[in-house]
Amino acid sequence: MALGDRPHVLVVLHAADLRDDLRRHLEIEDYDVSVAVAGPEGLAAARELEPDLVVLESALAGIDGVQICEHLRVDDASRVPIMLLTPDVGDERFSRLTSGADDYVATPIGAAELARRIGSVLRRSLVSSGPRPVAGLLTDGDLALNPVTRTAMRDGIELPLTPREFDLLHFFVRHPGRAFRRDDLLRQVWGWEYADDSTVAVHVERVRNNVEEVPAEPLRLVSVEGVGYRWDPTPDRA
């Protein structure tokens, strides 16, 4: 927490009404809040302030929210949780999240609901970044997950997972052979009672890109028609 003992949220929004209302809601909840309006300003603030969470609007002047995600994830190798706000425009929303955002929020959305979503993300991310009990290494074929360091390796190479992607992969590997609905995953991995469950589909696709030989034909993280998703462990070839 760069500014003190309270969680620090950086809000980068062009929409003045939502930005101001969100700031008031977050400050009432006792968060430190920094704001930026344009993309370059937001990127600079994220780098300088090192907040606990970045809330980005997809459409920003100068550098858009997707580009900011890419700069933070690729150039800076930052693991800060990122929430991306973008209009619900069909399949285009999925390509936007390949930038490395942790959570997708369809707009329009009210400031009060957005503040609740932010609180949920912060609670999970701050708990996961603190001291953790020692736990055993989880393995599945060429895949190894370390819950203590929150790293995942495949063939000895660390996978570039965001915190949320690690949470999702860790959950599936811990529950092999069991099918989960999207709303179940939202509750158990995201900690949300309700939300746009397309967020789950996006993160599943991104996890598949890291753990499957052919992501379009998954053998591990498989779809279960009419239900959701299931983790099929790699057969023991010994």
Side-chain angles (χ1 to χ4, degrees):
M1 302 181 191
L3 296 184
D5 294 333
R6 299 182 298 175
H8 179 204
V9 181
L10 172 62
V11 176
V12 190
L13 296 177
H14 174 72
D17 290 345
L18 179 58
R19 185 178 66 244
D20 294 342
D21 286 349
L22 179 60
R23 181 172 193 165
R24 284 193 291 270
H25 277 85
L26 293 175
E27 288 177 342
I28 288 172
E29 295 296 325
D30 203 31
Y31 297 134
D32 284 320
V33 183
S34 299
V35 299
V37 177
E41 176 190 2
L43 178 59
R47 287 170 164 167
E48 178 181 353
L49 299 176
E50 298 182 350
D52 297 300
L53 174 69
V54 179
V55 181
L56 290 172
E57 190 174 8
S58 61
L60 293 168
I63 305 174
D64 66 28
V66 171
Q67 291 172 310
I68 292 176
C69 288
E70 292 170 343
H71 281 300
L72 292 175
R73 292 291 186 243
V74 178
D75 299 341
D76 301 351
S78 172
R79 290 179 177 260
V80 61
I82 299 173
M83 180 178 286
L84 184 67
L85 279 61
T86 184
D88 188 347
V89 288
D91 291 341
E92 184 180 351
R93 62 191 172 196
F94 293 96
S95 64
R96 287 176 174 175
L97 275 180
T98 61
S99 59
D102 293 276
D103 291 299
Y104 160 81
V105 178
T107 56
I109 186 172
E113 172 59 20
L114 183 53
R116 285 193 291 269
R117 295 275 291 268
I118 289 169
S120 174
V121 173
L122 277 170
R123 283 191 295 273
R124 292 187 65 84
S125 65
L126 293 176
V127 167
S128 65
S129 64
R132 300 177 64 86
V134 174
L137 193 69
L138 296 176
T139 60
D140 183 293
D142 59 357
L143 189 66
L145 279 71
N146 188 324
V148 177
T149 62
R150 292 180 56 80
T151 54
M153 312 283 284
R154 187 177 178 201
D155 283 331
I157 300 173
E158 184 174 352
L159 300 177
L161 301 176
T162 67
R164 186 71 76 195
E165 290 165 14
F166 179 87
D167 289 341
L168 184 61
L169 176 59
H170 184 240
F171 181 83
F172 274 119
V173 175
R174 285 178 55 236
H175 300 90
R178 179 178 170 185
F180 292 93
R181 302 179 65 89
R182 291 183 182 183
D183 56 356
D184 291 332
L185 294 168
L186 280 171
R187 284 193 295 270
Q188 297 190 59
V189 179
W190 274 257
W192 298 345
E193 287 301 319
Y194 59 93
D196 183 346
D197 64 8
S198 62
T199 296
V200 177
V202 172
H203 283 75
V204 165
E205 290 305 310
R206 283 164 37 186
V207 170
R208 283 173 172 165
N209 288 337
N210 281 281
V211 303
E212 299 284 359
E213 289 292 338
V214 183
E217 301 175 6
L219 299 177
R220 286 170 153 165
L221 185 44
V222 301
S223 298
V224 180
E225 187 175 358
V227 180
Y229 305 100
R230 183 185 69 236
W231 182 268
D232 287 346
T234 303
D236 187 356
R237 296 182 174 83

